Every structure is written in C-alpha cells, then in structure tokens.
Amino acid sequence: MVLLNPGPVNVSERVRQALVKPDICHREEEFSELLHRIQTKLLSAFVPGAESEYVAVLMTGSGTAAVEAALMSSLPHGKRMLILNNGVYGERMSQIIGLHRLGVSELKYEWTVRPDPERLLLALRQHPEVHVVGMVHHETTTGLLNPVHEVAEIVDNQNRVFVLDAVSALAGETLDIAKSHIYMVVGTAGKCIQGFPGVSFVLVRKGFVEKMRAYPKRSWYLHLTHYIDNEGRGMIPFTPAVQVYYAFDEALNELLEEGVSNRIQRYKKMATVIREGMAKLGVKPLLPVERQSNTITAYHLPEGLSYHVLHDRLKQQGYVIYAGQGNLENKIFRVANMGALTEGQFGGFLNAFEQACRQK
C-alpha cells in the first residue's frame, strides 16, 4: 500500500529489517551505544556545525508526546506561554497549555493564513509575562508552511524562548536551528526521517538546559531534564521501544547518506510532480504555491465526489490519501509525499486518481 498520508510513512526495506535485530535490555551497554548513535546522528543532521550547542532528547511516544514535553518543561513559575495558532496542531499546543492554565490569549489565524510577525512583536511587548512562544513549522492541517525564521528572530530579540513543533518539517523543510537561536525543536521518527512511529525527540539548546532544571515538574513521564540527566548516563528513565529505536537508527543512516538538503529537494520534486499532475486534471489546491510545504498538498474535492468515495476508490488501487480536518473535513483531501517513495509511484497515483474521478 502506498501511504500518501502525513505519517506513518512507507519505509525502506533496510529500515524494516532493522526491527528484527536481536533483543537487548535497555539497561545494558548495547542500548546505551544505540542511544548515543541516534543522538549523534540527530545533531549531525539538524544542527550541523553546532552539535556542541545542543542536546538531543529521545523518548518513546508520538510527536505530540514530545511537543507536550517541550512545552511543559520550558516554563518557570509565574510566567506564561503564547501560541501562534493557525491549524489543528497549533490548536493542540494551545490545548496542552490550557490544561494547566499557563497561557495568555493566543494569536489565532484562519487555517490558510500565516502568522504575522509584527503582530507577535506587539503582543510580546504588551505581555512581559510571556516567557515562551510556541508555533508549528509545517501545519499539516492544510500543508501550510509558517514563517519560522522571521518568528524566531523576533522571539530571540525579545529575549523569549521559542518552542517549535517541527514534527512534520524536519528533513522536509529548510530549517537553520542554530543560526535562528531556536531553543527547543520537536521532531519524530515516522515522518520525513522515514522511520516508524513510536519514538520522538526534542533538540534543546544546552544553555537553556540549566535554566530548565529550576522549573517546576508538571509531568513525571514528560519532564525533559529527567530524560537529559538519564540519557547523559546512557539510559532512558522509562522502558523504550527498543526495536523502533533500531529502525530509527537505520532511518537516520539513510538520511545522512542521502543528505538532508538532498532529501528536501527530493520531496520538493515529488510535490511538484503531484501538483503539476493535479493541475492537468483541473483539481484546485487549497493554498497558493508560495504558502505550500514540500511534503503535503491540500486540494478541494472534485465536484460531485465525496471524500469517502474518493478514498475508497483509491485504496482499492493501492493508494491511501488523507481527509481534511475540522470545518474542512467535507471540503478537501490531502496528499502527502513523505516516505520512501519513487516518482513512478506518484505517477501511478495520478493515473489511479484520474480513474477514480471518472468512475460513475
């Protein structure tokens, strides 16, 4: 089955085979070595040249677990968070901090609109109690790419902490973490890194780690300094999904062999193949090209064709697309081009799509 959803993604055979490596105990040196390899590769891939300035914190859980860990671990007593919300995952960040009543009024936008950096600057000047700004880099709700570097510059200039949900962006979009002084960046294995779901991570600027140690613990499982202290000794505080870590390690090998910039360009090329093919079929995208990410395109449903019918016809031919969310559920469908897929497979999808639209 060709998965055209934004995770889980299709993986290579070598990543799949990594799942069947020998069983090991996570308290033994074999796992410590595996953990260290993954951390080293993450830093090499995403903060090249600044590896000594960041620590890679791994945990067993989805990307949302790592996002929650980053948010809940980044706030001192008496301070608040501000979320830039223009999609389902920005809304999720707001809901996480809302559970603890730690936020101020979010800056909310329509789902097809990018956050305004100048509005953020004004909000930070008006709210000195805001210590943390949270935003999603690639809002997969619509395939919208947010202005991460512009926002990061404002947050840094105002001496605040930027927590970036890059779960769907790392290895798919250009992101200069170190140059932008981003304190915390969240990622996961099962999207553009082309591993399996179940292990996620946070890249944390080392200078911020010492400050975090004085912050309150709002979760036992998700408190980041708890992980940092254990992982510094080659351990994880809770039982990890060892086999998934093996596969993650292999997926990072593939990423480094291909090169992060080359992977980004491959995804961009595959997105262009899909978009040009859809344009020939007269299918209209939700977003203008300048707002689109490299890995997901949202389209208006063809007239007279429901999502469920379109989905089922395509699945019968071996292709899985993705529904819209919220008020877009019955209006759009989404096509992701993450994963270990070839141009020929996307050509096959376009042919299948044309046939699905012609069926009566």
Side-chain angles (χ1 to χ4, degrees), residues 46-245:
F46 299 119
V47 285
E51 291 94 334
S52 63
E53 298 174 21
Y54 283 82
V55 58
V57 189
L58 276 79
M59 61 180 61
T60 298
S62 70
T64 297
V67 169
E68 185 162 355
L71 291 173
M72 292 298 96
S73 303
S74 63
L75 198 65
H77 281 295
K79 293 294 185 179
R80 294 289 180 263
M81 299 186 188
L82 175 65
I83 302 299
L84 306 182
N85 175 1
N86 62 342
V88 166
Y89 298 97
E91 180 67 29
R92 185 174 294 179
M93 294 179 95
S94 290
Q95 290 171 341
I96 289 169
I97 65 171
L99 288 173
H100 297 267
R101 299 182 180 180
L102 295 172
V104 300
S105 296
E106 64 188 359
L107 296 183
K108 198 164 187 174
Y109 298 85
E110 295 295 324
W111 286 1
T112 56
V113 177
R114 285 174 168 169
D116 178 1
E118 291 303 314
R119 186 180 170 198
L120 170 63
L121 177 59
L122 179 61
L124 292 178
R125 288 171 174 170
Q126 291 175 338
H127 292 279
E129 72 276 22
V130 169
H131 181 73
V132 176
V133 175
M135 189 181 76
V136 177
H137 185 183
H138 171 209
E139 185 53 81
T140 56
T141 308
T142 57
L144 177 67
L145 204 59
N146 281 326
V148 61
H149 293 108
E150 295 92 325
V151 168
E153 182 177 6
I154 287 172
V155 174
D156 188 54
N157 287 342
Q158 294 298 306
N159 297 312
R160 314 297 172 91
V161 174
F162 190 25
V163 176
L164 182 66
D165 173 352
V167 166
S168 290
L170 282 176
E173 306 292 341
T174 301
L175 177 62
D176 194 331
I177 295 169
K179 185 177 180 181
S180 298
H181 302 114
I182 304 175
Y183 279 45
M184 305 177 83
V185 177
V186 182
T188 195
K191 292 186 183 285
C192 299
I193 298 177
Q194 298 179 184
F196 287 101
V199 55
S200 298
F201 58 91
V202 186
L203 305 177
V204 187
R205 200 169 182 89
K206 284 185 177 177
F208 188 50
V209 170
E210 294 309 311
K211 295 179 181 179
M212 288 168 57
R213 295 189 192 283
Y215 297 170
K217 292 184 178 180
R218 299 181 176 89
S219 169
W220 184 249
Y221 187 82
L222 298 176
H223 191 68
L224 281 183
T225 56
H226 195 27
Y227 282 84
I228 291 168
D229 292 341
N230 276 267
E231 291 179 10
R233 300 191 298 270
M235 298 185 296
I236 283 182
F238 311 101
T239 307
V242 175
Q243 264 60 34
V244 180
Y245 281 62

Side-chain angles (χ1 to χ4, degrees), residues 277-321:
M278 287 294 196
K280 290 177 182 177
L281 297 174
V283 186
K284 299 185 185 314
L286 179 67
L287 299 175
V289 65
E290 66 272 10
R291 297 183 198 169
Q292 294 173 341
S293 72
N294 289 328
T295 56
I296 292 180
T297 314
Y299 288 100
H300 295 281
L301 284 163
E303 189 173 349
L305 194 59
S306 72
Y307 171 77
H308 294 292
V309 170
L310 178 61
H311 168 274
D312 291 351
R313 289 177 180 176
L314 287 168
K315 190 172 183 180
Q316 287 175 357
Q317 298 186 69
Y319 301 93
V320 174
I321 57 172

